[in-house]
Amino acid sequence: DNKVPVLVGCPANVTVECDAIPAPATPTATDNCDAQVNVLYTETKTTGTCADYYTLNRRWIATDNCGNRSTCSQVISVVDTKAPVLVGCPANVTVECNAVPTPATPTATDNCDKEVNITYNETKTVGTCTDAYTLTRLWRATDNCGNATTCSQVITVRDTKAPVVTFVPADVTLNCTDNLPPVGTPTGTDNCAAQVTVLYKGEAK
């Protein structure tokens, strides 16, 4: 017996996404003498540029009773070209200066990476006054192989509410010979400004 077995059903080389790796094929072998040829399967992995870029080398060896062997192989190139998907990114809003929302916490899913890294950054652009400005919030999700997705929110902050003056003395009517009452010390509060300036101006009518 000097004839090698014949392997049938050996798969072709393929390039697949990291979440679409095919199951190992099951080639069969026939032989001129051996009715039941043993087929041995092995798989080795060669690492690539990142966690989800690598190569699988699959090999099948058919050996008959007399040690005659035939082999076939498949090379699977595994790649990761899909960016993560960000969920929960907030819409742009316009708010009063005392109602700026806390940063949202978007989540990310990926076809391969189970723990996607999300970074957050906020920039402030000054406006016409201290309490009128713009916040730009940016979230970036990056998987194991550097594929990234971003989303952003623009918050337009404004101050349209006037301060409230309190402790203003009540109106009084006096005779011309009466002494004028003390001016009083009204105070002011504001929805945004912690310190409100109250100016006094007396007028005779």
Side-chain angles (χ1 to χ4, degrees), residues 174-186:
L174 303 173
N175 291 318
C176 56
T177 57
D178 293 337
N179 294 324
L180 293 175
V183 172
T185 55

Side-chain angles (χ1 to χ4, degrees), residues 10 22-23 40-41 44 49 56 59 71 81 100 106 117 121 128 172:
C10 295
L40 175 67
Y41 167 72
T44 58
T49 56
L56 294 177
R59 189 184 186 198
T71 64
T81 63
V100 177
N117 181 51
N121 184 60
T128 56
V172 293

Side-chain angles (χ1 to χ4, degrees), residues 152-170:
S152 61
Q153 179 190 34
V154 177
I155 302 175
T156 303
V157 182
R158 62 184 185 177
D159 181 7
T160 64
K161 296 181 179 180
V164 176
V165 180
T166 55
F167 302 111
V168 177

Side-chain angles (χ1 to χ4, degrees), residues 61-79:
I61 304 173
T63 307
D64 67 14
N65 289 328
C66 289
N68 300 303
R69 298 195 314 171
S70 60
T71 64
C72 70
S73 61
Q74 180 190 34
V75 177
I76 301 176
S77 300
V78 181
V79 299

